[in-house]
Amino acid sequence: MRSNPNILVISFSDIRRDARLLRQLSVVKDFGHVTTLGYGTQPEGSDEHLQVPSELPSLPQTVPGVLKLALHLHGASEFAAPALRRARELLRDRQFDLVISNDARALPVAFYAAGDSTPVWADLHEWAPEERTHIASWRILVAPYIRYICKKYLPRTSAQTTVAGRIAHLYQETFGVQPQIMRNSCPLQDLEPSKTAREQIRLVHSGGAVPGRALETTIKAVVAAGERFTLDLYLVPANDGGKYLRELKSLAEGSPRIVFHDPVKPAELPKTLNQYDVGVFWIPPFNTNARLTLPNKLFDFVQARLAIAVGPTVEMVDVVKKYNLGIVSKGFSVEEIVASLNTLNPERIENYKQAVDYAATDLCFEKDAAVARKILTDLLDKNR
């Protein structure tokens, strides 16, 4: 292996907007020459970028491609997606010392690039076989294909990571691999808890305006909770042309206590959120990933030094209760959310904020970066 290893990072996303990928690259760049492959232009941390046109889908969508999925011709489906075919063309005749595949759908390209001897690290951001099973066409056509990809390729990977323990257990139980845990944490921030307002409790939520996250329930709950509460929303439009975000704004019309803001870059979020009191996220368990989510935003709230309010989502509950970070509602209905909010007062919020401040050094990317560094060191050393 060369003294400056060639490392390939694959993600069928716009890496510049993908917080987990940007954090991954912040570590990987210290280990060699980094080539990224994905949508959008070159991200920070990349030495060279192979750009896949954003209009090329990463799953089969043509009539022949969909027919292959419907007939469970999964081997023939691996490069039926236009984005994967283009990726294969971009990688032709290139050699790498390590390949990192982000999400299961990138695994065929990763093993094409790796050849017979190059190690592959699979960073599995969530439970891949049920990524979008709340959509009938995805559940019927794509889920069996993703299971095929995981069954074929994951046992051949040299390392695996995922975001939380219960999802890691699913991979172990289903595909016989043992992923290490790399949470969706953000870097430690040099911030202190803001002074808690006495008159109103300032709630905040940040993330994607994605149907299924039930942000309409959040808005209704804040309206129902009364004048003591305000809600500020920093939302990124979904891939629906902003339709759901417009619906949310329409729902909140007439309530001056609910304010929508432009989205903020991931690196700037904790400082922006620091002015508020409580970070909120009540996501109903509409599929396995929703039921087991341990999202970026929880760690953004921690680094912003906010108290936290969540529903009974098990991975988030484990963190909130372990460190005494905030409150957990009994369920996901408007009434149950309001009941939990009504337990808050300035004194309790200040106590939660102090607990969050204490926990911030443990719930930060520096802890998870150590996992990535060990994987990179081990795999590159083995390949020398």
Side-chain angles (χ1 to χ4, degrees):
M1 189 178 71
R2 290 169 286 275
S3 58
N4 190 39
N6 279 332
I7 304 171
L8 174 64
V9 177
I10 305 168
S11 177
F12 290 102
S13 66
D14 185 340
I15 299 173
R16 297 169 309 156
R17 299 182 180 182
D18 191 320
R20 185 175 178 88
L21 262 293
L22 292 173
R23 290 192 295 268
Q24 185 187 103
L25 286 172
S26 73
V27 178
V28 176
K29 67 180 177 60
D30 295 334
F31 284 80
H33 180 277
V34 179
T35 301
T36 47
L37 185 151
Y39 299 128
T41 54
Q42 184 169 351
E44 187 175 349
S46 168
D47 296 299
E48 179 184 7
H49 184 60
L50 305 176
Q51 184 172 347
V52 176
S54 57
E55 67 272 14
L56 299 183
S58 59
L59 289 169
Q61 291 185 5
T62 62
V63 171
V66 171
L67 185 61
K68 288 173 184 175
L69 292 179
L71 295 174
H72 287 199
L73 300 174
H74 294 143
S77 299
E78 290 188 24
F79 287 94
L84 273 68
R85 287 200 302 272
R86 180 60 180 146
R88 186 169 59 181
E89 292 169 2
L90 291 168
L91 291 167
R92 189 167 290 132
D93 299 326
R94 288 174 174 262
Q95 291 186 328
F96 299 95
D97 301 295
L98 173 63
V99 178
I100 304 174
S101 170
N102 285 277
D103 290 322
R105 70 181 63 191
L107 283 168
V109 174
F111 276 91
Y112 171 81
D116 296 328
S117 58
T118 298
V120 174
W121 164 15
D123 189 18
L124 304 156
H125 299 189
E126 56 184 2
W127 175 235
E130 297 186 45
E131 182 184 341
R132 303 185 73 191
T133 46
H134 56 291
I135 298 171
S137 59
W138 202 99
R139 183 173 62 251
I140 294 166
L141 294 172
V142 179
Y145 166 69
I146 296 295
R147 282 185 175 271
Y148 159 84
I149 290 295
C150 289
K151 184 177 180 180
K152 177 178 178 179
Y153 288 111
L154 283 181
R156 295 166 54 189
T157 58
S158 300
Q160 314 86 32
T161 47
T162 193
V163 296
R166 288 174 179 84
I167 291 178
H169 180 72
L170 281 175
Y171 280 111
Q172 180 182 2
E173 189 176 61
T174 310
F175 302 113
V177 295
Q178 294 184 302
Q180 298 179 63
I181 307 303
M182 277 187 65
R183 303 166 300 185
N184 279 319
S185 55
C186 67
L188 182 66
Q189 304 290 308
D190 185 16
L191 293 170
E192 295 181 356
S194 61
K195 185 173 177 59
T196 303
R198 310 307 294 183
E199 304 80 19
Q200 285 188 314
I201 295 172
R202 302 163 299 183
L203 311 178
V204 67
H205 175 92
S206 58
V210 179
R213 295 185 180 179
L215 295 177
E216 63 274 15
T217 305
T218 299
I219 290 170
K220 291 174 183 176
V222 172
V223 170
E227 296 296 321
R228 278 206 312 146
F229 298 93
T230 64
L231 173 66
D232 286 66
L233 295 151
Y234 293 82
L235 299 178
V236 179
N239 295 327
D240 60 358
K243 179 176 179 288
Y244 181 57
L245 180 55
R246 290 192 295 272
E247 291 172 358
L248 294 175
K249 289 180 177 179
S250 177
L251 179 64
E253 275 182 356
S255 177
R257 294 184 289 113
I258 299 174
V259 179
F260 290 81
H261 301 268
D262 291 335
V264 174
K265 293 178 180 178
E268 299 171 6
L269 253 180
K271 187 174 181 180
T272 300
L273 301 180
N274 178 251
Q275 63 187 296
Y276 300 100
D277 297 314
V278 186
V280 303
F281 190 35
W282 299 283
I283 179 170
F286 62 88
N287 67 9
T288 298
N289 286 304
R291 180 172 61 85
L292 301 180
T293 187
L294 190 61
N296 290 335
K297 61 180 64 36
L298 182 75
F299 299 97
D300 292 332
F301 295 159
V302 167
Q303 293 306 323
R305 306 309 198 268
L306 304 179
I308 290 169
V310 296
T313 303
V314 286
E315 292 285 355
M316 289 197 285
V317 169
D318 286 352
V319 175
V320 169
K321 288 192 172 180
K322 178 179 179 180
Y323 296 96
N324 191 33
L325 306 180
I327 58 172
V328 178
S329 63
K330 289 184 177 179
F332 300 96
S333 69
V334 168
E335 295 75 18
E336 288 165 321
I337 292 169
V338 171
S340 69
L341 288 175
N342 284 335
T343 66
L344 291 173
N345 59 42
E347 290 72 29
R348 288 193 73 186
I349 291 171
E350 286 182 353
N351 288 338
Y352 289 137
K353 284 183 175 180
Q354 290 304 317
V356 170
D357 190 37
Y358 182 79
T361 54
D362 201 29
L363 300 174
C364 65
F365 180 63
E366 284 74 4
K367 297 284 185 178
D368 295 292
V371 176
R373 288 194 186 94
K374 186 171 190 316
I375 289 171
L376 288 159
T377 300
D378 289 349
L379 296 186
L380 291 169
D381 281 351
K382 280 182 186 177
N383 206 32
R384 286 187 187 280

